[in-house]
Amino acid sequence: MTVAKMSWQPQYRSSKYRHVFGKPANKESCYDNVPITRSVHDNHFCAVNPNFIAVVTECAGGGAFIVIPIQQSGKLDPHYPKVCGHRGNVLDIKWNPFDDYVIASCSDDASVKIWDIPKPFVAKNITNARKELVGHSRRVGLIEWHPTASNIIVSTAYDYKIMLWNLDTEEPVIYSPVRTIECHKDVILSMSFNLDGSLLATSCKDRKVRIIDPLKGRIIQESDGKTHKASKVLFLGNMKKLISTGTSRWNNRQVVLWDQDDLSVPSHQEELDSSSGLIFPFFDNDTNMLYLVGKGEGNIRYYEVNLQKPYLQYLNEYRSCLPQKGIGVLPKRGVDVSLCEVFRFYKLVTVKGLIEPVSMIVPRRSESYQEDIYPMTAGTQPALTAHEWLSGINRGPLLISLKPGSKSSQSHIALYEEEDKLLAKEPKKVFEEKLPTKTLWEIEYKTEIIREDKGKRRIGAKSQDARNSLISNGFDLFECPPPKTENELLQMFYKQQEEIRRLRDQLSQRDIQIRQLELEIKNVRNSAVY
C-alpha cells in the first residue's frame, strides 16, 4: 500500500513588503517653478542621485538641463542657471553611478556629452563639457552607464546603432567607439544591462526583445514579437529574468516576464488596462519589487517578483491626481532608513512645473534600523576598470550596508585588505628610518617653517577681511547672487559652519605638530648635554 505525499502550501503569502505604501512629500519638500521640457520623447527626463536632481528643461536655441541640489527644495529662481552646450534638444540624462558629480547627456545634435558638476556646487551656467562623443549620424535617444565598470557608457541613436564608449582617455572629443553593434533594423526604444554588465537587453520598434553580448556585438536571444509589442525592457537583478512593458495584440497595456535563457515563449503575461500611456518599469534588486509607472497618469503599481508561480504578486497601487510627464529614481544608498523608506520616486508634473518626491515606505513601529528590509546594496566603488571589462572580465557590484555608521561591505574589505596592510606598515617604516637621521638643526628648521606658515595664514586672514566687503552672507557677489529664500540662507550658513570647523581642525593640527617638534628639540638638547 502506497501513501501519496501531498505538499501543503499556505493560503496566505508571507512577505515583508506586503503593506508598502506610497507617501508624497509635503509642499515644502517639493521643487516648484521648474521649467520641465515639453518634448514628446518617451524618456524619463529626470536623473537623481543622493546629491542632485537633474531635469531636462525648455530652452531656446539648443538643449539644456538643470541641476538642483537635492536639499534645495522650494520655489526655483526663474533665472536658475542651466547646463547648456547641445545644439539640439536634450533627450536623455544619466548620472555616473560611481561619481555623483559627473553626468552624461545625449541630444538631437547626434552627440553625447560628459559634464563635470562643480565641487563644491555653485549655481552657474555650464557650457563646456569635459568630453564629447561623436559617432552617431542621427539623434541620440538613449544612454546607459555600465553598472560595474568605470568609464564605460553605451549610447543608441536613430541610426539603429549601439555604440560602446571608453571614457578612460585624455582626448576631449572621442570620434571612434570601442564597438559598434549593428543588429537592429529599427529604432531602439530601451536598453538595460544585467547586474554585472555582461549582457545588454534591448527593445526595438520592430516589437522584439533582444539579449546582446555587448563586447562581441552578437545577439544571444531574440523574441518573435508576435503576441507582445515591447516598449521598455529591464533586467531583474540576479534572477536571470527580464520584464518588458508594452501592448498586446489587442492594444491593451501589458507586462511580460521572460527567462533570459529562452525568449521564444514568455514565462508570464499580464494585461493591465486599455489605456494608451507608456509604462516605465523600475526594479529594486534588493527587495525584488517591481514598480510600473504610467506616463501621463498619477498611478504607480507595484509587485513582488518570485522565481516560482505566481511570478508577479500584486501588492498595491499608489494613486495621485497629478500626472507624471517623466520620473526619476533615487539610488538605494540615498533612501532614508530612519523612515523605513525602501524606494523613492521624483515625479515631473509638467502642468504645475513641479517635482514631487514620492517615498515607498514599509510600515514599522520600531524607530531603529530595520536590517531585514535593507540587505547589502550597490555602492559607489566600481568593481572593474574600463580596461579590465574590455579584456573580458565580468564582476558583480561592490556592496555596502545602509546601516548608519557602516560604510563598507565584506567584499570591499577583502578587495582592499592587502592595500590597507601596506598602508598600515608604511608609517612605522618611515618613522624608524627617519628618526635617527634627524638633527637639531633639521628639527628647528621644520618648526620655523610651520611657524612661518601659521603667520602667513594670519596675514591671509587679514587680507580676506578687506575682501569681505564684497561678500554678503557667505556669497561672493561676483560669482553668485545672494540667497533669496530662507532655505538657501540656511544652506549657506551650514556651509560656513563646516568651513569654520575644518579650519579649526587644521589650526589644532598645526599646534600639535609645533608642540611635538618642540619636545623633540628638548630631547635632542638633553641628549647632547649628557
Side-chain angles (χ1 to χ4, degrees):
M1 182 179 175
T2 59
V3 179
K5 293 183 179 180
M6 297 181 64
S7 61
W8 181 83
Q9 291 185 351
Q11 186 177 0
Y12 298 102
R13 187 182 56 88
S14 175
S15 171
K16 292 173 283 192
Y17 310 104
R18 198 170 157 192
H19 302 290
V20 169
F21 66 95
K23 182 181 178 182
N26 53 32
K27 190 176 180 182
E28 290 75 19
S29 300
C30 293
Y31 307 82
D32 202 1
N33 199 32
V34 181
I36 301 166
T37 181
R38 299 189 181 275
S39 170
V40 294
H41 202 71
D42 288 331
N43 270 348
H44 300 156
F45 299 123
C46 181
V48 188
N49 67 30
N51 289 311
F52 300 108
I53 305 170
V55 181
V56 180
T57 181
E58 285 292 297
C59 180
F65 60 95
I66 56 176
V67 174
I68 310 169
I70 206 162
Q71 301 88 359
Q72 190 179 316
S73 55
K75 195 168 184 179
L76 202 69
D77 189 333
H79 304 290
Y80 192 84
K82 296 178 175 65
V83 181
C84 45
H86 286 287
R87 297 182 300 278
N89 292 332
V90 175
L91 301 180
D92 196 13
I93 49 175
K94 294 282 168 60
W95 287 105
N96 187 333
F98 310 119
D99 190 341
D100 288 346
Y101 289 84
V102 174
I103 189 169
S105 63
C106 63
S107 166
D108 266 340
D109 62 11
S111 72
V112 178
K113 295 193 176 186
I114 312 298
W115 308 86
D116 285 326
I117 305 304
K119 188 194 302 184
F121 180 74
V122 178
K124 62 180 181 180
N125 281 332
I126 301 174
T127 55
N128 296 321
R130 171 159 60 100
K131 286 189 186 296
E132 185 174 1
L133 316 180
V134 182
H136 289 285
S137 58
R138 298 184 65 186
R139 60 178 176 171
V140 185
L142 291 167
I143 46 176
E144 286 290 339
W145 291 91
H146 193 280
T148 60
S150 61
N151 292 320
I152 295 290
I153 194 167
V154 171
S155 64
T156 182
Y158 279 64
D159 56 8
Y160 312 154
K161 296 177 183 178
I162 297 175
M163 292 188 177
L164 189 69
W165 305 88
N166 179 12
L167 306 181
D168 201 5
T169 62
E170 295 181 359
E171 302 168 3
V173 181
I174 304 175
Y175 293 98
S176 55
V178 175
R179 179 167 297 281
T180 302
I181 303 170
E182 301 183 56
C183 57
H184 296 82
K185 304 300 181 185
D186 212 330
V187 178
I188 298 163
L189 303 176
S190 70
M191 298 187 297
S192 173
F193 276 107
N194 66 343
L195 200 62
D196 63 359
S198 60
L199 298 174
L200 180 69
T202 65
S203 61
C204 184
K205 206 171 181 180
D206 63 5
R207 297 171 170 257
K208 295 182 180 180
V209 173
R210 294 175 176 86
I211 297 178
I212 301 167
D213 184 332
L215 279 177
K216 297 178 181 177
R218 62 182 179 87
I219 298 174
I220 298 174
Q221 291 286 330
E222 182 176 334
S223 69
D224 59 13
K226 293 179 180 177
T227 60
H228 174 68
K229 182 182 178 182
S231 296
K232 299 292 179 183
V233 67
L234 190 67
F235 267 106
L236 300 183
N238 56 2
M239 302 182 78
K240 293 192 174 182
K241 294 188 180 295
L242 296 92
I243 204 84
S244 67
T245 59
T247 55
S248 67
R249 192 179 294 173
W250 297 275
N251 282 333
N252 291 328
R253 292 200 298 185
Q254 191 180 41
V255 56
V256 175
L257 186 71
W258 307 87
D259 187 338
Q260 78 174 31
D261 298 324
D262 183 12
L263 296 185
S264 59
V265 180
S267 300
H268 177 76
Q269 297 185 48
E270 189 171 319
E271 292 197 4
L272 302 174
D273 52 41
S274 57
S275 298
S276 59
L278 185 75
I279 291 180
F280 297 117
F282 297 95
F283 184 68
D284 185 351
N285 299 326
D286 306 326
T287 63
N288 289 343
M289 286 179 66
L290 173 70
Y291 300 88
L292 302 180
V293 180
K295 182 181 178 182
E297 60 187 61
N299 302 344
I300 301 173
R301 298 177 178 90
Y302 42 102
Y303 302 75
E304 194 166 5
V305 183
N306 306 299
L307 290 172
Q308 291 84 26
K309 292 184 179 180
Y311 297 107
L312 297 181
Q313 184 69 44
Y314 176 77
L315 294 175
N316 210 334
E317 183 176 5
Y318 167 77
R319 295 176 179 270
S320 170
C321 60
L322 298 175
Q324 54 251 1
K325 164 85 174 184
I327 200 156
V329 171
L330 182 70
K332 200 62 175 287
R333 56 192 170 87
V335 298
D336 190 346
V337 295
S338 64
L339 299 177
C340 295
E341 181 185 41
V342 292
F343 217 68
R344 191 190 302 171
F345 294 97
Y346 285 81
K347 292 174 50 176
L348 305 185
V349 185
T350 311
V351 292
K352 291 193 171 185
L354 183 74
I355 304 175
E356 181 188 41
V358 177
S359 299
M360 310 306 293
I361 295 173
V362 177
R364 294 282 176 95
R365 290 185 179 179
S366 174
E367 295 181 0
S368 60
Y369 175 73
Q370 304 293 299
E371 198 162 354
D372 60 323
I373 62 174
Y374 293 114
M376 304 287 275
T377 191
T380 56
Q381 293 293 328
L384 296 164
T385 63
H387 176 73
E388 286 173 334
W389 184 73
L390 292 171
S391 65
I393 301 171
N394 291 306
R395 195 176 294 154
L398 296 179
L399 305 180
I400 60 170
S401 172
L402 294 180
K403 188 174 183 178
S406 176
K407 295 290 182 183
S408 59
S409 68
Q410 295 302 319
S411 59
H412 196 146
I413 291 168
L415 188 67
Y416 295 106
E417 189 176 0
E418 200 169 57
E419 186 179 338
D420 290 340
K421 284 179 181 177
L422 290 172
L423 289 172
K425 289 178 181 178
E426 196 163 345
K428 186 178 179 182
K429 184 180 177 184
V430 170
F431 178 76
E432 288 173 356
E433 288 178 1
K434 288 190 176 181
L435 186 60
T437 61
K438 278 186 180 178
T439 63
L440 180 62
W441 180 84
E442 286 176 342
I443 296 170
E444 288 179 340
Y445 179 74
K446 193 171 181 181
T447 307
E448 193 62 33
I449 287 174
I450 292 175
R451 280 177 176 155
E452 282 180 9
D453 185 50
K454 202 170 180 182
K456 286 177 183 177
R457 285 178 181 271
R458 289 198 187 100
I459 294 168
K462 289 178 182 178
S463 63
Q464 183 66 25
D465 291 339
R467 189 172 175 268
N468 281 344
S469 59
L470 300 175
I471 296 179
S472 174
N473 289 335
F475 281 92
D476 192 332
L477 298 178
F478 290 107
E479 290 183 2
C480 57
K484 296 183 179 179
T485 64
E486 185 181 353
N487 192 26
E488 289 179 3
L489 190 63
L490 280 171
Q491 286 179 12
M492 292 309 300
F493 171 74
Y494 293 141
K495 284 180 182 177
Q496 286 180 337
Q497 292 297 313
E498 187 63 32
E499 182 68 17
I500 291 169
R501 196 177 297 113
R502 187 180 64 80
L503 290 172
R504 281 177 178 164
D505 289 342
Q506 286 182 356
L507 285 172
S508 64
Q509 289 298 322
R510 292 286 182 182
D511 291 337
I512 290 168
Q513 286 181 1
I514 289 172
R515 283 198 292 271
Q516 287 176 345
L517 290 169
E518 284 174 345
L519 275 172
E520 287 182 17
I521 290 170
K522 287 181 181 178
N523 291 334
V524 172
R525 282 175 175 164
N526 291 335
S527 60
V529 170
Y530 292 103

